[in-house]
């Protein structure tokens, strides 16, 4: 009925489709292996293929059943629009329903246009390079992705507001701001700190990472895999200058593979790298 797959936004477990202004996520529920969908624009628009047909075509249940029968492999009157098997998109890998809902919620955000990050001394070029988004409440959102590159949640920041997306899972926020071969991995505690570090100490070939104020065993595992995959020349532990930051740096240093160099770069003014950036811009400190 006019929907086309948006491949650059789709993943193994979430297929993104668009028809005009309507964008949906098609997925396979891990619990019962049923096909489900979620609208990006309307939180109440979700369900099974039956719900999809009812809402899009306005059919009653009897008409829906008649329509869907024509798409079955053994239909007595096959639907003429049914594509040959080799032309169909692969069925999404099963995933928890909450994960598919999280992807739909992320796709409903837009590129950041607020003023809060400017108050943190961050410029538009850096904000764009880090792919910061904005939700309906105006919060700055930093996406966390898993090892498959799928969004599992996001860090939310605003004036007087810091939290991780409800129902989301912390993994890693990753930002590669240039096309140079990767040589550095800079690990910070927040997306704002990672951006601040990029402004203060720009280095071509750097992959910036945020933990969103936590460090779990799954995050450590993901970090180890990232380091081994890209064979970074240097890992920079740029966590906060406090007890938690030092503990995080120590835990990460212990899991860095033998032979991979690492350094501890502790903020020199205040608690974190955004404090350093603000102090530097006011002429009160030198980040080096």
């Amino acid at each position: 009925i006019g929907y086309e797959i948006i491949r650059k936004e789709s993943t193994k477990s979430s297929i993104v489709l668009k028809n005009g202004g309507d964008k949906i996520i098609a997925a396979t529920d891990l619990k019962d292996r049923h096909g489900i969908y979620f609208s990006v624009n309307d939180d109440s628009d979700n369900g099974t293929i039956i719900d999809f047909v009812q809402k899009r075509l306005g059919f009653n249940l009897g008409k829906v059943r008649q329509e869907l029968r024509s798409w079955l492999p053994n239909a007595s009157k096959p639907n003429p629009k049914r594509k040959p098997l080799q032309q169909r998109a692969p069925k999404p890998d099963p995933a928890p329903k909450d994960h598919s809902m999280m992807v739909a919620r992320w796709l409903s955000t837009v590129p950041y246009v607020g003023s809060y990050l400017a108050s943190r001394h961050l410029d538009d070029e850096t904000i764009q390079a880090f792919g910061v988004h904005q939700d309906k409440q105006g919060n700055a959102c930093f996406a966390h992705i898993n090892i498959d590159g799928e969004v599992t949640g996001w860090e939310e920041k605003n004036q007087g507001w810091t939290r991780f997306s409800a129902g989301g899972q912390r993994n890693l926020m990753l930002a590669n701001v240039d096309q140079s071969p990767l040589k550095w991995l800079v690990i910070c505690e927040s997306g704002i700190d990672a951006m601040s570090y990029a402004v203060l100490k720009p280095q071509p070939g750097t992959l910036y990472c945020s933990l969103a104020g936590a460090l779990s065993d799954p995050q450590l595992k993901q970090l180890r895999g990232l380091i081994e995959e890209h064979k970074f020349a240097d890992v920079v532990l740029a966590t906060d200058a406090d007890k938690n930051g030092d503990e995080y740096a120590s835990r990460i240093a212990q899991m860095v593979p033998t032979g991979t160099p690492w350094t501890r770069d502790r903020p020199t003014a205040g608690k974190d790298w955004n404090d350093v950036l603000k102090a530097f811009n006011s002429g009160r400190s030198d980040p080096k």
Side-chain angles (χ1 to χ4, degrees):
I1 57 176
Y3 286 81
E4 296 183 355
I5 295 176
I6 310 300
R7 298 192 182 278
K8 66 179 182 179
E9 296 181 6
S10 299
T11 66
K12 293 191 299 182
S13 62
S14 299
I15 307 300
V16 181
L17 301 102
K18 188 176 182 181
N19 181 5
D22 190 19
K23 184 184 288 188
I24 65 170
I25 308 296
T28 304
D29 186 11
L30 181 63
K31 184 177 180 180
D32 57 22
R33 306 301 171 106
H34 287 170
I36 54 176
Y37 82 96
F38 299 90
S39 169
V40 169
N41 303 316
D42 182 358
D43 293 342
S44 66
D45 184 6
N46 60 79
T48 66
I49 185 63
I50 294 175
D51 301 298
F52 178 82
V53 174
Q54 282 185 309
K55 289 179 181 290
R56 299 308 185 280
L57 300 181
F59 292 170
N60 60 34
L61 192 56
K63 182 67 174 176
V64 168
R65 288 173 175 166
Q66 182 180 346
E67 171 70 19
L68 294 181
R69 284 194 194 102
S70 70
W71 293 89
L72 295 174
N74 58 351
S76 57
K77 295 181 178 180
N79 194 299
K81 295 181 180 180
R82 180 179 170 86
K83 294 181 179 180
L85 182 62
Q86 63 271 22
Q87 295 182 18
R88 298 177 211 158
K91 186 174 182 178
D93 289 350
K97 185 181 294 186
D98 290 348
H99 170 72
S100 302
M101 291 178 62
M102 192 62 59
V103 174
R105 286 174 54 197
W106 175 253
L107 289 176
S108 71
T109 63
V110 297
Y112 186 80
V113 293
S115 60
Y116 168 68
L117 293 181
S119 73
R120 302 296 292 267
H121 294 224
L122 295 164
D123 58 80
D124 290 342
E125 183 179 356
T126 303
I127 293 169
Q128 184 177 3
F130 272 75
V132 185
H133 278 215
Q134 181 173 311
D135 62 17
K136 296 176 183 177
Q137 290 71 44
N139 301 314
C141 301
F142 302 83
H144 275 226
I145 61 174
N146 60 19
I147 58 175
D148 294 320
E150 300 173 324
V151 175
T152 61
W154 51 90
E155 181 185 358
E156 299 175 3
K157 300 286 287 189
N158 211 333
Q159 190 68 43
W161 179 263
T162 297
R163 78 163 190 175
F164 202 78
S165 54
Q169 179 182 352
R170 281 180 173 84
N171 282 284
L172 299 176
M173 183 221 78
L174 298 172
N176 179 14
V177 299
D178 61 51
Q179 302 302 314
S180 303
L182 296 180
K183 296 180 179 180
W184 305 83
L185 173 64
V186 174
I187 302 170
C188 298
E189 287 191 41
S190 75
I192 287 179
D193 288 336
M195 288 196 296
S196 301
Y197 197 98
V199 173
L200 290 164
K201 301 186 179 186
Q203 182 74 22
T206 299
L207 180 63
Y208 298 93
C209 170
S210 165
L211 306 172
L215 182 58
S216 64
D217 289 340
Q219 285 176 308
L220 279 172
K221 181 179 180 181
Q222 189 176 359
L223 277 172
R224 175 184 280 276
L226 189 67
I227 294 169
E228 293 177 345
E229 177 185 358
H230 294 286
K231 296 180 172 57
F232 289 100
D234 206 335
V235 176
V236 181
L237 308 177
T239 50
D240 291 356
D242 58 13
K243 181 179 179 180
N244 283 341
D246 291 338
E247 180 183 343
Y248 294 159
S250 176
R251 290 182 64 192
I252 297 171
Q254 291 174 23
M255 52 73 63
V256 174
T258 302
T260 299
W262 60 270
T263 56
R264 170 69 167 121
D265 199 356
R266 207 170 190 266
T268 53
K271 181 176 75 72
D272 56 41
W273 286 102
N274 190 244
D275 289 338
V276 178
L277 177 62
K278 290 184 289 187
F280 176 70
N281 286 342
S282 63
R284 292 186 284 110
S285 76
D286 185 337
K288 299 180 181 179

